[in-house]
Coordinates of all heavy atoms in Angstrom, one line a residue:
M1 N 0.8 -1.2 0.0 CA 0.0 0.0 0.0 C 0.9 1.3 0.0 O 0.6 2.2 -0.8 CB -0.9 0.0 1.2 CG -1.9 1.1 1.3 SD -3.0 1.1 2.7 CE -2.0 1.5 4.0
T2 N 1.9 1.3 0.8 CA 2.8 2.4 0.9 C 3.5 2.7 -0.5 O 3.6 3.8 -0.9 CB 3.9 2.2 1.9 OG1 3.3 2.0 3.2 CG2 4.8 3.4 2.0
V3 N 3.9 1.6 -1.2 CA 4.5 1.8 -2.5 C 3.5 2.4 -3.5 O 3.9 3.3 -4.3 CB 5.1 0.4 -3.0 CG1 5.6 0.5 -4.4 CG2 6.2 0.0 -2.0
I4 N 2.3 1.9 -3.5 CA 1.3 2.5 -4.4 C 1.0 3.9 -4.1 O 1.0 4.8 -5.0 CB 0.0 1.7 -4.3 CG1 0.2 0.2 -4.8 CG2 -1.2 2.3 -5.0 CD1 -1.0 -0.7 -4.5
F5 N 0.9 4.3 -2.8 CA 0.7 5.7 -2.5 C 1.9 6.6 -2.9 O 1.7 7.7 -3.4 CB 0.4 5.9 -1.0 CG -1.0 5.3 -0.6 CD1 -1.2 5.0 0.8 CD2 -1.9 5.0 -1.5 CE1 -2.4 4.5 1.1 CE2 -3.1 4.4 -1.1 CZ -3.4 4.2 0.2
L6 N 3.1 6.1 -2.6 CA 4.3 6.9 -3.0 C 4.3 7.0 -4.6 O 4.7 8.0 -5.1 CB 5.5 6.3 -2.5 CG 5.8 6.5 -1.0 CD1 7.0 5.7 -0.5 CD2 6.0 7.9 -0.7
S7 N 3.9 5.9 -5.3 CA 3.9 6.0 -6.7 C 3.0 7.1 -7.2 O 3.3 7.8 -8.2 CB 3.5 4.6 -7.3 OG 4.4 3.6 -6.9
I8 N 1.8 7.2 -6.6 CA 0.8 8.2 -7.0 C 1.5 9.6 -6.7 O 1.3 10.5 -7.5 CB -0.5 8.1 -6.2 CG1 -1.2 6.8 -6.7 CG2 -1.4 9.3 -6.4 CD1 -2.3 6.3 -5.8
L9 N 2.1 9.8 -5.6 CA 2.8 11.0 -5.2 C 3.8 11.4 -6.3 O 3.8 12.5 -6.8 CB 3.4 10.9 -3.8 CG 4.2 12.2 -3.4 CD1 3.2 13.3 -3.1 CD2 5.0 11.8 -2.2
Y10 N 4.7 10.5 -6.6 CA 5.8 10.7 -7.6 C 5.2 11.0 -9.0 O 5.6 11.9 -9.7 CB 6.8 9.6 -7.7 CG 7.8 9.6 -6.5 CD1 7.8 8.6 -5.6 CD2 8.6 10.7 -6.4 CE1 8.8 8.7 -4.6 CE2 9.6 10.8 -5.4 CZ 9.6 9.7 -4.5 OH 10.5 9.8 -3.5
F11 N 4.1 10.3 -9.4 CA 3.5 10.5 -10.7 C 2.9 11.9 -10.7 O 3.1 12.6 -11.7 CB 2.4 9.4 -10.9 CG 1.7 9.5 -12.2 CD1 2.3 9.1 -13.4 CD2 0.4 10.1 -12.3 CE1 1.6 9.2 -14.6 CE2 -0.2 10.2 -13.5 CZ 0.4 9.8 -14.6
T12 N 2.2 12.3 -9.7 CA 1.6 13.6 -9.7 C 2.7 14.7 -9.7 O 2.6 15.7 -10.4 CB 0.8 13.8 -8.4 OG1 -0.2 12.8 -8.4 CG2 0.1 15.1 -8.4
A13 N 3.8 14.5 -9.0 CA 4.9 15.5 -9.0 C 5.5 15.6 -10.4 O 5.8 16.7 -10.9 CB 5.9 15.1 -8.0
A14 N 5.7 14.4 -11.0 CA 6.3 14.4 -12.4 C 5.4 15.1 -13.4 O 5.8 15.9 -14.2 CB 6.6 13.0 -12.8
R15 N 4.1 14.8 -13.3 CA 3.1 15.4 -14.3 C 3.0 17.0 -14.1 O 2.7 17.7 -15.0 CB 1.7 14.8 -14.1 CG 1.6 13.4 -14.4 CD 1.4 13.0 -15.8 NE 0.1 13.6 -16.1 CZ -0.4 13.6 -17.4 NH1 0.3 13.1 -18.3 NH2 -1.5 14.2 -17.7
N16 N 3.3 17.5 -12.9 CA 3.2 18.9 -12.6 C 4.6 19.6 -12.5 O 4.7 20.7 -12.0 CB 2.4 19.1 -11.3 CG 1.0 18.7 -11.5 OD1 0.2 19.3 -12.2 ND2 0.6 17.6 -10.9
D17 N 5.6 18.9 -13.0 CA 7.0 19.5 -13.0 C 7.4 20.0 -11.6 O 8.1 21.0 -11.5 CB 7.1 20.6 -14.0 CG 6.9 20.1 -15.4 OD1 7.4 19.0 -15.7 OD2 6.3 20.9 -16.2
Y18 N 7.1 19.2 -10.6 CA 7.5 19.6 -9.2 C 8.9 18.9 -8.9 O 8.9 17.8 -8.3 CB 6.4 19.2 -8.2 CG 6.7 19.7 -6.9 CD1 6.7 21.0 -6.6 CD2 6.9 18.8 -5.8 CE1 7.0 21.5 -5.3 CE2 7.2 19.2 -4.5 CZ 7.2 20.6 -4.3 OH 7.5 21.0 -3.0
R19 N 10.0 19.5 -9.3 CA 11.3 18.9 -9.2 C 11.7 18.7 -7.8 O 12.5 17.8 -7.5 CB 12.3 19.8 -9.9 CG 12.4 19.8 -11.3 CD 13.5 20.7 -11.9 NE 14.8 19.9 -11.9 CZ 15.9 20.3 -11.2 NH1 15.9 21.4 -10.5 NH2 17.0 19.6 -11.3
E20 N 11.3 19.6 -6.9 CA 11.8 19.6 -5.5 C 11.6 18.2 -4.8 O 12.4 17.8 -4.0 CB 11.1 20.7 -4.7 CG 11.5 22.1 -5.0 CD 10.9 22.6 -6.3 OE1 9.9 22.0 -6.8 OE2 11.3 23.7 -6.8
I21 N 10.5 17.5 -5.1 CA 10.3 16.2 -4.5 C 11.4 15.2 -5.0 O 11.9 14.4 -4.2 CB 8.9 15.7 -4.7 CG1 8.6 14.5 -3.8 CG2 8.7 15.2 -6.2 CD1 7.2 14.2 -3.6
F22 N 11.8 15.3 -6.2 CA 12.9 14.5 -6.7 C 14.2 14.8 -6.1 O 15.1 14.0 -5.8 CB 12.9 14.4 -8.2 CG 11.6 13.9 -8.8 CD1 10.7 14.8 -9.3 CD2 11.2 12.6 -8.7 CE1 9.4 14.4 -9.8 CE2 10.0 12.1 -9.2 CZ 9.1 13.0 -9.7
V23 N 14.5 16.1 -6.0 CA 15.7 16.6 -5.4 C 15.8 16.1 -3.9 O 16.8 15.6 -3.5 CB 15.8 18.2 -5.4 CG1 17.0 18.7 -4.6 CG2 15.9 18.6 -6.9
A24 N 14.7 16.2 -3.2 CA 14.7 15.7 -1.8 C 14.8 14.2 -1.7 O 15.3 13.7 -0.7 CB 13.4 16.2 -1.1
S25 N 14.4 13.5 -2.7 CA 14.4 12.0 -2.6 C 15.8 11.4 -2.7 O 16.0 10.4 -2.2 CB 13.5 11.4 -3.8 OG 14.2 11.5 -5.0
V26 N 16.7 12.1 -3.3 CA 18.1 11.6 -3.5 C 18.8 11.3 -2.2 O 19.2 10.2 -1.9 CB 18.9 12.4 -4.4 CG1 20.4 11.9 -4.5 CG2 18.3 12.5 -5.8
P27 N 18.9 12.3 -1.3 CA 19.6 12.0 0.0 C 18.8 11.0 0.9 O 19.3 10.2 1.6 CB 19.8 13.3 0.7 CG 18.9 14.3 0.0 CD 18.6 13.7 -1.4
I28 N 17.5 11.1 0.8 CA 16.6 10.1 1.5 C 16.9 8.7 1.1 O 17.0 7.8 1.9 CB 15.1 10.5 1.4 CG1 14.8 11.8 2.1 CG2 14.2 9.4 1.9 CD1 13.5 12.4 1.7
R29 N 17.0 8.5 -0.2 CA 17.2 7.1 -0.7 C 18.6 6.6 -0.4 O 18.8 5.4 -0.1 CB 17.0 7.1 -2.2 CG 15.5 7.2 -2.5 CD 15.1 7.8 -3.9 NE 15.6 6.9 -4.9 CZ 15.6 7.3 -6.2 NH1 15.2 8.5 -6.5 NH2 16.0 6.5 -7.1
F30 N 19.6 7.5 -0.3 CA 20.9 7.1 0.2 C 20.8 6.8 1.7 O 21.5 5.9 2.2 CB 22.0 8.2 0.0 CG 22.4 8.3 -1.4 CD1 22.3 9.5 -2.1 CD2 23.0 7.2 -2.1 CE1 22.8 9.5 -3.4 CE2 23.4 7.2 -3.4 CZ 23.3 8.4 -4.1
A31 N 20.0 7.5 2.5 CA 19.9 7.2 3.9 C 19.3 5.8 4.2 O 19.5 5.3 5.2 CB 19.0 8.3 4.6
V32 N 18.5 5.3 3.3 CA 17.9 4.0 3.4 C 19.0 3.0 3.7 O 18.9 2.1 4.6 CB 17.1 3.6 2.2 CG1 16.7 2.1 2.2 CG2 15.8 4.5 2.1
V33 N 20.1 3.1 3.0 CA 21.2 2.1 3.2 C 21.7 2.2 4.6 O 21.9 1.2 5.3 CB 22.4 2.4 2.2 CG1 23.5 1.4 2.4 CG2 21.8 2.3 0.7
A34 N 22.0 3.4 5.1 CA 22.5 3.6 6.4 C 21.5 3.1 7.5 O 21.9 2.4 8.5 CB 22.7 5.1 6.7
F35 N 20.2 3.3 7.3 CA 19.2 2.8 8.2 C 19.1 1.3 8.2 O 19.0 0.7 9.3 CB 17.8 3.5 8.0 CG 17.7 4.8 8.6 CD1 17.9 5.9 7.9 CD2 17.3 4.9 9.9 CE1 17.8 7.2 8.5 CE2 17.1 6.1 10.5 CZ 17.4 7.3 9.8
F36 N 19.1 0.7 7.0 CA 19.1 -0.7 7.0 C 20.3 -1.4 7.6 O 20.2 -2.4 8.4 CB 19.0 -1.2 5.5 CG 17.6 -1.1 4.9 CD1 16.5 -0.6 5.6 CD2 17.4 -1.6 3.6 CE1 15.3 -0.5 5.0 CE2 16.1 -1.6 3.0 CZ 15.1 -1.0 3.7
A37 N 21.5 -0.8 7.4 CA 22.7 -1.3 8.1 C 22.6 -1.1 9.6 O 23.0 -2.0 10.3 CB 23.9 -0.5 7.5
A38 N 22.1 0.0 10.0 CA 21.9 0.2 11.5 C 20.9 -0.8 12.1 O 21.2 -1.3 13.2 CB 21.5 1.7 11.8
F39 N 19.8 -1.0 11.4 CA 18.9 -2.0 11.9 C 19.5 -3.4 12.0 O 19.3 -4.1 12.9 CB 17.6 -2.1 11.0 CG 16.8 -0.9 11.0 CD1 15.9 -0.5 10.0 CD2 16.7 0.0 12.2 CE1 15.1 0.6 10.0 CE2 15.9 1.1 12.2 CZ 15.1 1.4 11.1
A40 N 20.3 -3.8 11.0 CA 21.0 -5.1 11.0 C 22.0 -5.1 12.1 O 22.1 -6.1 12.8 CB 21.6 -5.3 9.6
A41 N 22.8 -4.1 12.3 CA 23.8 -4.0 13.3 C 23.2 -4.1 14.7 O 23.8 -4.7 15.6 CB 24.6 -2.8 13.2
A42 N 22.0 -3.5 14.9 CA 21.3 -3.6 16.1 C 20.6 -4.9 16.4 O 20.1 -5.2 17.5 CB 20.3 -2.4 16.2
G43 N 20.6 -5.8 15.4 CA 19.9 -7.1 15.5 C 18.4 -7.0 15.3 O 17.8 -8.0 15.5
F44 N 17.9 -5.9 14.7 CA 16.5 -5.9 14.5 C 16.1 -6.6 13.2 O 14.9 -6.9 13.0 CB 16.0 -4.4 14.3 CG 16.2 -3.6 15.6 CD1 16.7 -2.3 15.5 CD2 15.8 -4.1 16.8 CE1 16.8 -1.6 16.7 CE2 15.9 -3.4 18.0 CZ 16.5 -2.1 17.9
T45 N 17.0 -6.9 12.3 CA 16.7 -7.6 11.1 C 18.0 -8.3 10.6 O 19.1 -8.1 11.2 CB 16.2 -6.6 10.0 OG1 15.8 -7.4 8.9 CG2 17.3 -5.7 9.6
S46 N 17.8 -9.1 9.6 CA 19.0 -9.9 9.1 C 19.8 -8.9 8.1 O 19.3 -8.0 7.6 CB 18.4 -11.0 8.2 OG 19.4 -11.6 7.4
W47 N 21.1 -9.3 8.0 CA 21.9 -8.5 7.1 C 21.5 -8.6 5.6 O 21.9 -7.8 4.8 CB 23.4 -8.9 7.2 CG 24.0 -8.4 8.5 CD1 24.2 -9.1 9.7 CD2 24.5 -7.1 8.7 NE1 24.7 -8.3 10.6 CE2 25.0 -7.1 10.1 CE3 24.6 -6.0 8.0 CZ2 25.5 -6.0 10.6 CZ3 25.2 -4.8 8.5 CH2 25.6 -4.8 9.9
N48 N 20.7 -9.6 5.4 CA 20.2 -9.8 4.0 C 19.4 -8.6 3.5 O 19.2 -8.5 2.3 CB 19.3 -11.1 3.9 CG 20.1 -12.3 4.1 OD1 21.3 -12.3 3.9 ND2 19.5 -13.4 4.5
I49 N 18.9 -7.8 4.4 CA 18.1 -6.6 4.0 C 18.9 -5.7 3.1 O 18.4 -5.0 2.3 CB 17.5 -5.9 5.2 CG1 16.4 -5.0 4.7 CG2 18.5 -5.1 6.0 CD1 15.3 -4.7 5.7
L50 N 20.2 -5.7 3.3 CA 21.1 -4.9 2.5 C 21.2 -5.3 1.1 O 21.6 -4.5 0.2 CB 22.5 -4.9 3.1 CG 22.6 -4.2 4.5 CD1 24.0 -4.3 5.1 CD2 22.3 -2.7 4.4
L51 N 20.7 -6.5 0.8 CA 20.6 -6.9 -0.6 C 19.6 -6.1 -1.4 O 19.6 -6.1 -2.7 CB 20.3 -8.4 -0.7 CG 21.3 -9.4 -0.1 CD1 20.7 -10.8 -0.1 CD2 22.6 -9.3 -0.9
L52 N 18.7 -5.4 -0.7 CA 17.7 -4.6 -1.4 C 18.2 -3.2 -1.8 O 17.6 -2.5 -2.5 CB 16.5 -4.4 -0.5 CG 15.7 -5.7 -0.1 CD1 14.7 -5.4 1.0 CD2 15.1 -6.3 -1.3
T53 N 19.4 -2.8 -1.2 CA 19.9 -1.4 -1.4 C 20.6 -1.1 -2.7 O 20.6 0.0 -3.1 CB 20.7 -1.0 -0.2 OG1 21.8 -1.9 -0.1 CG2 19.9 -1.1 1.1
P54 N 21.3 -2.1 -3.3 CA 22.1 -1.7 -4.5 C 21.3 -1.0 -5.6 O 21.7 0.0 -6.1 CB 22.8 -2.9 -5.0 CG 22.9 -3.8 -3.8 CD 21.6 -3.5 -3.0
L55 N 20.1 -1.5 -5.9 CA 19.3 -0.9 -6.9 C 18.8 0.5 -6.5 O 18.7 1.4 -7.3 CB 18.1 -1.8 -7.3 CG 18.3 -2.9 -8.2 CD1 17.1 -3.7 -8.5 CD2 18.9 -2.4 -9.5
D56 N 18.5 0.7 -5.2 CA 18.1 2.0 -4.8 C 19.2 3.0 -4.9 O 19.0 4.1 -5.3 CB 17.6 1.9 -3.3 CG 16.7 3.1 -3.0 OD1 16.0 3.6 -3.9 OD2 16.6 3.4 -1.8
I57 N 20.5 2.6 -4.6 CA 21.6 3.4 -4.9 C 21.8 3.8 -6.3 O 22.0 5.0 -6.7 CB 22.9 2.8 -4.3 CG1 22.8 2.7 -2.8 CG2 24.1 3.6 -4.8 CD1 23.9 1.9 -2.2
V58 N 21.6 2.8 -7.2 CA 21.8 3.0 -8.6 C 20.7 4.0 -9.1 O 21.0 5.0 -9.8 CB 21.7 1.7 -9.4 CG1 21.5 1.9 -10.9 CG2 22.9 0.8 -9.2
F59 N 19.5 3.8 -8.7 CA 18.4 4.7 -9.1 C 18.5 6.1 -8.5 O 18.1 7.1 -9.1 CB 17.0 4.1 -8.9 CG 16.8 2.9 -9.8 CD1 16.3 1.7 -9.2 CD2 17.1 2.9 -11.1 CE1 16.1 0.6 -10.1 CE2 16.8 1.9 -12.0 CZ 16.4 0.7 -11.4
A60 N 19.0 6.2 -7.3 CA 19.2 7.5 -6.7 C 20.3 8.3 -7.4 O 20.2 9.5 -7.7 CB 19.6 7.4 -5.2
L61 N 21.4 7.6 -7.8 CA 22.4 8.2 -8.6 C 21.9 8.6 -10.0 O 22.3 9.7 -10.5 CB 23.6 7.2 -8.8 CG 24.5 7.0 -7.6 CD1 25.5 5.9 -7.8 CD2 25.2 8.3 -7.2
W62 N 21.0 7.8 -10.6 CA 20.4 8.1 -11.9 C 19.6 9.4 -11.7 O 19.6 10.3 -12.6 CB 19.6 6.9 -12.3 CG 19.0 7.1 -13.7 CD1 19.2 8.0 -14.6 CD2 18.0 6.2 -14.2 NE1 18.4 7.8 -15.7 CE2 17.7 6.6 -15.5 CE3 17.3 5.0 -13.7 CZ2 16.7 6.0 -16.3 CZ3 16.4 4.4 -14.6 CH2 16.1 4.9 -15.8
T63 N 18.8 9.5 -10.7 CA 17.9 10.6 -10.4 C 18.8 11.9 -10.3 O 18.6 12.9 -10.8 CB 17.1 10.4 -9.2 OG1 16.2 9.3 -9.4 CG2 16.2 11.7 -8.9
W64 N 19.9 11.8 -9.4 CA 20.8 12.9 -9.2 C 21.4 13.3 -10.5 O 21.5 14.5 -10.8 CB 21.8 12.4 -8.2 CG 22.9 13.5 -7.9 CD1 22.7 14.6 -7.2 CD2 24.2 13.4 -8.3 NE1 23.9 15.3 -7.1 CE2 24.9 14.6 -7.8 CE3 25.0 12.5 -9.0 CZ2 26.2 14.8 -8.1 CZ3 26.3 12.7 -9.3 CH2 26.9 13.9 -8.8
S65 N 21.9 12.4 -11.3 CA 22.5 12.7 -12.5 C 21.6 13.4 -13.5 O 21.9 14.4 -14.2 CB 23.1 11.4 -13.2 OG 23.5 11.7 -14.5
T66 N 20.4 12.9 -13.6 CA 19.3 13.5 -14.4 C 19.0 14.9 -14.0 O 18.9 15.8 -14.8 CB 18.1 12.6 -14.5 OG1 18.4 11.3 -14.9 CG2 17.0 13.2 -15.4
L67 N 18.9 15.1 -12.7 CA 18.6 16.4 -12.1 C 19.7 17.4 -12.4 O 19.5 18.6 -12.7 CB 18.3 16.4 -10.6 CG 17.0 15.7 -10.2 CD1 17.0 15.5 -8.7 CD2 15.8 16.6 -10.6
R68 N 21.0 17.0 -12.3 CA 22.1 17.8 -12.6 C 22.1 18.2 -14.1 O 22.4 19.3 -14.4 CB 23.4 17.1 -12.3 CG 23.8 17.2 -10.8 CD 25.1 16.7 -10.5 NE 26.1 17.4 -11.4 CZ 27.4 17.0 -11.5 NH1 27.8 16.0 -10.9 NH2 28.2 17.7 -12.3
G69 N 21.8 17.2 -15.0 CA 21.8 17.5 -16.4 C 20.7 18.4 -16.7 O 20.8 19.3 -17.6
A70 N 19.5 18.3 -16.1 CA 18.4 19.2 -16.4 C 18.7 20.6 -15.9 O 18.3 21.6 -16.6 CB 17.1 18.6 -15.7
S71 N 19.4 20.8 -14.8 CA 19.6 22.1 -14.3 C 20.7 22.8 -15.1 O 20.8 24.0 -15.3 CB 20.0 22.1 -12.8 OG 21.3 21.4 -12.6
A72 N 21.6 22.0 -15.7 CA 22.7 22.5 -16.6 C 22.2 23.0 -17.9 O 22.7 24.0 -18.5 CB 23.8 21.5 -16.8
T73 N 21.1 22.4 -18.4 CA 20.5 22.8 -19.7 C 19.5 23.9 -19.5 O 19.1 24.5 -20.5 CB 19.9 21.6 -20.4 OG1 18.9 21.0 -19.6 CG2 21.0 20.6 -20.7
A74 N 19.0 24.1 -18.3 CA 17.9 25.1 -18.1 C 18.5 26.5 -18.0 O 19.5 26.8 -17.9 CB 17.1 24.7 -16.8

């Protein structure tokens, strides 16, 4: 349910050229890695949860790169 709701939020932001939400999402998505690692280190979850983070890092870098390119051409 959360993923669907966030998808609607991002879709609406993209349709209305609201860049700020995408700019804000980059550091938040990098923070996910740190939080997952902290949860695993504290014993709240298995270290396997970190297997979910590489794609998020790749897509955060992609978003950051695209935003930099868009601001350079604007």
Side-chain angles (χ1 to χ4, degrees):
M1 183 175 76
T2 301
V3 172
I4 292 170
F5 291 164
L6 285 173
S7 299
I8 293 167
L9 177 72
Y10 281 118
F11 180 78
T12 303
R15 297 272 300 173
N16 293 290
D17 295 324
Y18 188 65
R19 283 183 85 238
E20 289 79 10
I21 196 164
F22 299 105
V23 171
S25 77
V26 173
I28 291 168
R29 289 156 64 193
F30 284 124
V32 169
V33 180
F35 276 95
F36 280 5
F39 291 155
F44 295 136
T45 189
S46 165
W47 286 99
N48 292 338
I49 196 153
L50 291 173
L51 295 173
L52 300 172
T53 61
L55 278 179
D56 205 25
I57 292 170
V58 168
F59 292 132
L61 288 170
W62 184 11
T63 303
W64 177 72
S65 173
T66 302
L67 289 169
R68 280 189 53 191
S71 65
T73 59

